[in-house]
Amino acid sequence: MHLRGVLFILFIVILLLNLTSHVSSYEINHSLMIINKKNLVISGISVINGNITIINSSNIIIKDDNIYNSSYFGIFVYDSKNVTIENNHIDQSYYDGISIRKSENVTIENNIIANNSNGNGISVWDNSNYIIIASNILSNNGYGIFILMSSNVTMLNNSIIKTYYYAIYLYQANFIKIVNNTILLSDIGLEVDYGSFIQFEFNVIKNDLVGVYLGDGIGSLNLIDNIIQNSRYFGVLIKYYPNVFNYNKNKFINNTANIFYEFNNTLPEQTNGLVPPITITSKSNISFNYSYLTILLLTIPVIYILLRRRRK
């Protein structure tokens, strides 16, 4: 073969290698930072006492990695797009296990995220959009999944176990789908403040203090076909009704109180564990008749929860 032909083949090989780079090693004892990169796969590594950070990059895959004892986030994605984070084990990060900021088109799937007690299992914040969080196991984290000032986020088939505060917390979040998740042993299973177009459907919430807390500024919310069981205080605690509240086929089992509204109004009473369908467009069209003693007893844990929130 002529020298020119050999050089041409070598050029093609180098070009193909550069199109999709691959980072793989057994163990690194520091952080891995990827800046201004495209078409990169990071797989099969163990990061001890460090983290993986992705900045201003695209078409990145982080898979089959172990990240342990980070003093920061376990995986941090900033100002990036088209990122896949799958089949990783993230344990004992000081802050969040996975944090997504100012990014879009990110998939977080089949990860185990545990023991991030000072932060969240997964946080999505600061105008991140089109995020999929699916089939992850999150346990012993401060918050399970925290969505802040972001939109078009789907949470599907996750297991969120033993969070210290809220399993799922939405704040200024819009176009959110939360479907078929299992939430166990949290202070609050779901809390929503300031958001709209939120679907919370076919989820199971068990053994929490409060199953669902609806706070301020909610535009529209669907709460449909969920099972809320063994809540120590309330299955659903409502501070303010959403402007549009579609509420149908939820099943309550063995809760201390199924539904409580802080201003002494509530949804219709349950029948055989099921609450009849209802769509609410204002707070004034439903009344509630607890005895004064019942109201007093139910108000005590409400005050406890609100005082605890203010201390944080």
mmCIF file of all heavy atoms in Angstrom, residues 252-280:
data_model
loop_
_atom_site.group_PDB
_atom_site.id
_atom_site.type_symbol
_atom_site.label_atom_id
_atom_site.label_comp_id
_atom_site.label_asym_id
_atom_site.label_seq_id
_atom_site.Cartn_x
_atom_site.Cartn_y
_atom_site.Cartn_z
ATOM 1 N N PHE A 252 -57.311 6.500 50.169
ATOM 2 C CA PHE A 252 -56.680 6.771 51.459
ATOM 3 C C PHE A 252 -56.841 5.546 52.363
ATOM 4 O O PHE A 252 -57.939 5.010 52.505
ATOM 5 C CB PHE A 252 -57.332 7.982 52.122
ATOM 6 C CG PHE A 252 -57.087 9.261 51.387
ATOM 7 C CD1 PHE A 252 -57.871 9.623 50.312
ATOM 8 C CD2 PHE A 252 -56.060 10.094 51.768
ATOM 9 C CE1 PHE A 252 -57.644 10.806 49.624
ATOM 10 C CE2 PHE A 252 -55.822 11.276 51.102
ATOM 11 C CZ PHE A 252 -56.613 11.637 50.026
ATOM 12 N N ILE A 253 -55.734 5.129 52.977
ATOM 13 C CA ILE A 253 -55.754 3.935 53.826
ATOM 14 C C ILE A 253 -55.058 4.250 55.148
ATOM 15 O O ILE A 253 -53.873 4.599 55.178
ATOM 16 C CB ILE A 253 -55.050 2.743 53.138
ATOM 17 C CG1 ILE A 253 -55.692 2.437 51.784
ATOM 18 C CG2 ILE A 253 -55.071 1.513 54.034
ATOM 19 C CD1 ILE A 253 -54.939 1.405 50.959
ATOM 20 N N ASN A 254 -55.779 4.163 56.226
ATOM 21 C CA ASN A 254 -55.200 4.176 57.575
ATOM 22 C C ASN A 254 -54.367 5.426 57.849
ATOM 23 O O ASN A 254 -53.297 5.366 58.454
ATOM 24 C CB ASN A 254 -54.341 2.917 57.786
ATOM 25 C CG ASN A 254 -54.055 2.662 59.255
ATOM 26 O OD1 ASN A 254 -54.875 2.943 60.119
ATOM 27 N ND2 ASN A 254 -52.863 2.141 59.547
ATOM 28 N N ASN A 255 -54.847 6.582 57.424
ATOM 29 C CA ASN A 255 -54.197 7.842 57.778
ATOM 30 C C ASN A 255 -54.855 8.411 59.029
ATOM 31 O O ASN A 255 -56.046 8.206 59.270
ATOM 32 C CB ASN A 255 -54.326 8.841 56.631
ATOM 33 C CG ASN A 255 -53.756 8.299 55.338
ATOM 34 O OD1 ASN A 255 -52.556 8.105 55.206
ATOM 35 N ND2 ASN A 255 -54.637 8.023 54.371
ATOM 36 N N THR A 256 -54.085 9.151 59.827
ATOM 37 C CA THR A 256 -54.687 9.782 60.999
ATOM 38 C C THR A 256 -55.831 10.702 60.588
ATOM 39 O O THR A 256 -56.900 10.716 61.191
ATOM 40 C CB THR A 256 -53.622 10.555 61.797
ATOM 41 O OG1 THR A 256 -52.604 9.624 62.215
ATOM 42 C CG2 THR A 256 -54.223 11.231 63.006
ATOM 43 N N ALA A 257 -55.609 11.501 59.540
ATOM 44 C CA ALA A 257 -56.670 12.281 58.901
ATOM 45 C C ALA A 257 -56.400 12.269 57.407
ATOM 46 O O ALA A 257 -55.249 12.407 56.982
ATOM 47 C CB ALA A 257 -56.702 13.706 59.431
ATOM 48 N N ASN A 258 -57.423 12.089 56.620
ATOM 49 C CA ASN A 258 -57.191 11.943 55.188
ATOM 50 C C ASN A 258 -56.913 13.275 54.503
ATOM 51 O O ASN A 258 -55.945 13.411 53.761
ATOM 52 C CB ASN A 258 -58.382 11.252 54.530
ATOM 53 C CG ASN A 258 -58.472 9.802 54.944
ATOM 54 O OD1 ASN A 258 -57.459 9.129 55.058
ATOM 55 N ND2 ASN A 258 -59.686 9.332 55.186
ATOM 56 N N ILE A 259 -57.762 14.278 54.733
ATOM 57 C CA ILE A 259 -57.618 15.565 54.066
ATOM 58 C C ILE A 259 -57.899 16.666 55.082
ATOM 59 O O ILE A 259 -58.878 16.611 55.816
ATOM 60 C CB ILE A 259 -58.604 15.709 52.884
ATOM 61 C CG1 ILE A 259 -58.470 14.530 51.929
ATOM 62 C CG2 ILE A 259 -58.383 17.014 52.139
ATOM 63 C CD1 ILE A 259 -59.576 14.440 50.914
ATOM 64 N N PHE A 260 -57.025 17.655 55.103
ATOM 65 C CA PHE A 260 -57.257 18.767 56.018
ATOM 66 C C PHE A 260 -56.848 20.063 55.340
ATOM 67 O O PHE A 260 -55.788 20.150 54.720
ATOM 68 C CB PHE A 260 -56.450 18.589 57.305
ATOM 69 C CG PHE A 260 -56.716 19.664 58.319
ATOM 70 C CD1 PHE A 260 -57.919 19.692 59.008
ATOM 71 C CD2 PHE A 260 -55.770 20.635 58.582
ATOM 72 C CE1 PHE A 260 -58.173 20.689 59.933
ATOM 73 C CE2 PHE A 260 -56.013 21.631 59.513
ATOM 74 C CZ PHE A 260 -57.216 21.657 60.197
ATOM 75 N N TYR A 261 -57.703 21.062 55.466
ATOM 76 C CA TYR A 261 -57.448 22.381 54.894
ATOM 77 C C TYR A 261 -57.202 23.343 56.047
ATOM 78 O O TYR A 261 -57.990 23.416 56.988
ATOM 79 C CB TYR A 261 -58.657 22.817 54.053
ATOM 80 C CG TYR A 261 -58.530 24.168 53.418
ATOM 81 C CD1 TYR A 261 -57.335 24.571 52.830
ATOM 82 C CD2 TYR A 261 -59.605 25.040 53.388
ATOM 83 C CE1 TYR A 261 -57.223 25.805 52.241
ATOM 84 C CE2 TYR A 261 -59.507 26.280 52.797
ATOM 85 C CZ TYR A 261 -58.307 26.670 52.230
ATOM 86 O OH TYR A 261 -58.203 27.906 51.641
ATOM 87 N N GLU A 262 -56.134 24.086 56.009
ATOM 88 C CA GLU A 262 -55.722 24.901 57.146
ATOM 89 C C GLU A 262 -56.778 25.912 57.567
ATOM 90 O O GLU A 262 -56.818 26.322 58.713
ATOM 91 C CB GLU A 262 -54.416 25.639 56.831
ATOM 92 C CG GLU A 262 -53.214 24.731 56.807
ATOM 93 C CD GLU A 262 -51.924 25.502 56.622
ATOM 94 O OE1 GLU A 262 -51.893 26.716 56.927
ATOM 95 O OE2 GLU A 262 -50.953 24.899 56.168
ATOM 96 N N PHE A 263 -57.623 26.333 56.633
ATOM 97 C CA PHE A 263 -58.634 27.329 56.958
ATOM 98 C C PHE A 263 -60.004 26.681 57.159
ATOM 99 O O PHE A 263 -61.040 27.283 56.915
ATOM 100 C CB PHE A 263 -58.680 28.405 55.878
ATOM 101 C CG PHE A 263 -57.371 29.112 55.731
ATOM 102 C CD1 PHE A 263 -56.570 28.894 54.625
ATOM 103 C CD2 PHE A 263 -56.911 29.966 56.719
ATOM 104 C CE1 PHE A 263 -55.346 29.541 54.496
ATOM 105 C CE2 PHE A 263 -55.691 30.607 56.602
ATOM 106 C CZ PHE A 263 -54.902 30.396 55.485
ATOM 107 N N ASN A 264 -59.995 25.409 57.568
ATOM 108 C CA ASN A 264 -61.199 24.706 57.994
ATOM 109 C C ASN A 264 -62.208 24.474 56.883
ATOM 110 O O ASN A 264 -63.406 24.479 57.096
ATOM 111 C CB ASN A 264 -61.873 25.442 59.160
ATOM 112 C CG ASN A 264 -60.943 25.580 60.334
ATOM 113 O OD1 ASN A 264 -60.080 24.723 60.533
ATOM 114 N ND2 ASN A 264 -61.100 26.624 61.104
ATOM 115 N N ASN A 265 -61.708 24.293 55.685
ATOM 116 C CA ASN A 265 -62.520 23.796 54.581
ATOM 117 C C ASN A 265 -61.788 22.610 53.978
ATOM 118 O O ASN A 265 -60.577 22.516 54.058
ATOM 119 C CB ASN A 265 -62.721 24.862 53.499
ATOM 120 C CG ASN A 265 -63.589 25.993 53.998
ATOM 121 O OD1 ASN A 265 -64.728 25.788 54.343
ATOM 122 N ND2 ASN A 265 -63.008 27.183 54.049
ATOM 123 N N THR A 266 -62.526 21.720 53.361
ATOM 124 C CA THR A 266 -61.859 20.545 52.808
ATOM 125 C C THR A 266 -62.660 19.965 51.657
ATOM 126 O O THR A 266 -63.747 20.417 51.343
ATOM 127 C CB THR A 266 -61.632 19.481 53.894
ATOM 128 O OG1 THR A 266 -60.726 18.508 53.386
ATOM 129 C CG2 THR A 266 -62.917 18.801 54.291
ATOM 130 N N LEU A 267 -62.105 18.944 51.055
ATOM 131 C CA LEU A 267 -62.788 18.200 50.008
ATOM 132 C C LEU A 267 -63.850 17.299 50.617
ATOM 133 O O LEU A 267 -63.879 17.077 51.820
ATOM 134 C CB LEU A 267 -61.767 17.365 49.239
ATOM 135 C CG LEU A 267 -60.635 18.170 48.587
ATOM 136 C CD1 LEU A 267 -59.581 17.225 48.037
ATOM 137 C CD2 LEU A 267 -61.187 19.030 47.474
ATOM 138 N N PRO A 268 -64.738 16.730 49.801
ATOM 139 C CA PRO A 268 -65.766 15.835 50.353
ATOM 140 C C PRO A 268 -65.159 14.651 51.087
ATOM 141 O O PRO A 268 -64.050 14.213 50.798
ATOM 142 C CB PRO A 268 -66.513 15.373 49.097
ATOM 143 C CG PRO A 268 -66.273 16.437 48.094
ATOM 144 C CD PRO A 268 -64.894 16.940 48.367
ATOM 145 N N GLU A 269 -65.879 14.137 52.038
ATOM 146 C CA GLU A 269 -65.412 12.979 52.802
ATOM 147 C C GLU A 269 -65.260 11.765 51.886
ATOM 148 O O GLU A 269 -65.964 11.617 50.897
ATOM 149 C CB GLU A 269 -66.405 12.659 53.927
ATOM 150 C CG GLU A 269 -66.384 13.676 55.056
ATOM 151 C CD GLU A 269 -65.097 13.629 55.842
ATOM 152 O OE1 GLU A 269 -64.476 12.549 55.917
ATOM 153 O OE2 GLU A 269 -64.684 14.673 56.364
ATOM 154 N N GLN A 270 -64.343 10.894 52.271
ATOM 155 C CA GLN A 270 -64.126 9.676 51.500
ATOM 156 C C GLN A 270 -65.243 8.667 51.748
ATOM 157 O O GLN A 270 -65.910 8.692 52.766
ATOM 158 C CB GLN A 270 -62.786 9.070 51.864
ATOM 159 C CG GLN A 270 -62.722 8.563 53.301
ATOM 160 C CD GLN A 270 -61.453 7.793 53.537
ATOM 161 O OE1 GLN A 270 -60.676 7.563 52.638
ATOM 162 N NE2 GLN A 270 -61.257 7.366 54.759
ATOM 163 N N THR A 271 -65.434 7.788 50.792
ATOM 164 C CA THR A 271 -66.365 6.675 50.928
ATOM 165 C C THR A 271 -65.627 5.392 50.574
ATOM 166 O O THR A 271 -65.138 5.240 49.459
ATOM 167 C CB THR A 271 -67.570 6.845 49.984
ATOM 168 O OG1 THR A 271 -68.190 8.096 50.267
ATOM 169 C CG2 THR A 271 -68.566 5.719 50.175
ATOM 170 N N ASN A 272 -65.518 4.483 51.536
ATOM 171 C CA ASN A 272 -64.799 3.225 51.325
ATOM 172 C C ASN A 272 -63.380 3.451 50.788
ATOM 173 O O ASN A 272 -62.901 2.755 49.897
ATOM 174 C CB ASN A 272 -65.567 2.315 50.361
ATOM 175 C CG ASN A 272 -66.919 1.914 50.899
ATOM 176 O OD1 ASN A 272 -67.057 1.699 52.113
ATOM 177 N ND2 ASN A 272 -67.908 1.837 50.043
ATOM 178 N N GLY A 273 -62.723 4.455 51.349
ATOM 179 C CA GLY A 273 -61.341 4.714 50.967
ATOM 180 C C GLY A 273 -61.178 5.530 49.708
ATOM 181 O O GLY A 273 -60.075 5.902 49.357
ATOM 182 N N LEU A 274 -62.252 5.828 48.999
ATOM 183 C CA LEU A 274 -62.152 6.581 47.748
ATOM 184 C C LEU A 274 -62.823 7.938 47.902
ATOM 185 O O LEU A 274 -63.897 8.045 48.490
ATOM 186 C CB LEU A 274 -62.814 5.814 46.602
ATOM 187 C CG LEU A 274 -62.152 4.502 46.201
ATOM 188 C CD1 LEU A 274 -63.028 3.781 45.176
ATOM 189 C CD2 LEU A 274 -60.778 4.750 45.608
ATOM 190 N N VAL A 275 -62.173 8.964 47.361
ATOM 191 C CA VAL A 275 -62.776 10.289 47.368
ATOM 192 C C VAL A 275 -63.424 10.535 46.017
ATOM 193 O O VAL A 275 -62.823 10.277 44.976
ATOM 194 C CB VAL A 275 -61.694 11.352 47.654
ATOM 195 C CG1 VAL A 275 -62.271 12.748 47.513
ATOM 196 C CG2 VAL A 275 -61.159 11.158 49.067
ATOM 197 N N PRO A 276 -64.668 10.990 45.989
ATOM 198 C CA PRO A 276 -65.343 11.183 44.703
ATOM 199 C C PRO A 276 -64.654 12.234 43.844
ATOM 200 O O PRO A 276 -63.955 13.113 44.360
ATOM 201 C CB PRO A 276 -66.745 11.648 45.110
ATOM 202 C CG PRO A 276 -66.597 12.148 46.499
ATOM 203 C CD PRO A 276 -65.505 11.351 47.132
ATOM 204 N N PRO A 277 -64.789 12.162 42.515
ATOM 205 C CA PRO A 277 -64.121 13.121 41.627
ATOM 206 C C PRO A 277 -64.627 14.536 41.847
ATOM 207 O O PRO A 277 -65.799 14.757 42.135
ATOM 208 C CB PRO A 277 -64.485 12.616 40.230
ATOM 209 C CG PRO A 277 -65.725 11.817 40.417
ATOM 210 C CD PRO A 277 -65.610 11.197 41.770
ATOM 211 N N ILE A 278 -63.693 15.486 41.674
ATOM 212 C CA ILE A 278 -64.079 16.873 41.861
ATOM 213 C C ILE A 278 -63.091 17.766 41.126
ATOM 214 O O ILE A 278 -61.912 17.460 41.022
ATOM 215 C CB ILE A 278 -64.104 17.244 43.365
ATOM 216 C CG1 ILE A 278 -64.665 18.645 43.566
ATOM 217 C CG2 ILE A 278 -62.732 17.124 44.006
ATOM 218 C CD1 ILE A 278 -64.986 18.954 44.996
ATOM 219 N N THR A 279 -63.570 18.849 40.581
ATOM 220 C CA THR A 279 -62.713 19.886 40.009
ATOM 221 C C THR A 279 -63.031 21.182 40.724
ATOM 222 O O THR A 279 -64.180 21.631 40.725
ATOM 223 C CB THR A 279 -62.941 20.051 38.498
ATOM 224 O OG1 THR A 279 -62.612 18.832 37.841
ATOM 225 C CG2 THR A 279 -62.067 21.175 37.949
ATOM 226 N N ILE A 280 -62.014 21.793 41.326
ATOM 227 C CA ILE A 280 -62.200 22.989 42.128
ATOM 228 C C ILE A 280 -61.625 24.176 41.376
ATOM 229 O O ILE A 280 -60.491 24.126 40.914
ATOM 230 C CB ILE A 280 -61.490 22.851 43.488
ATOM 231 C CG1 ILE A 280 -62.083 21.652 44.247
ATOM 232 C CG2 ILE A 280 -61.622 24.118 44.316
ATOM 233 C CD1 ILE A 280 -61.311 21.281 45.453
#
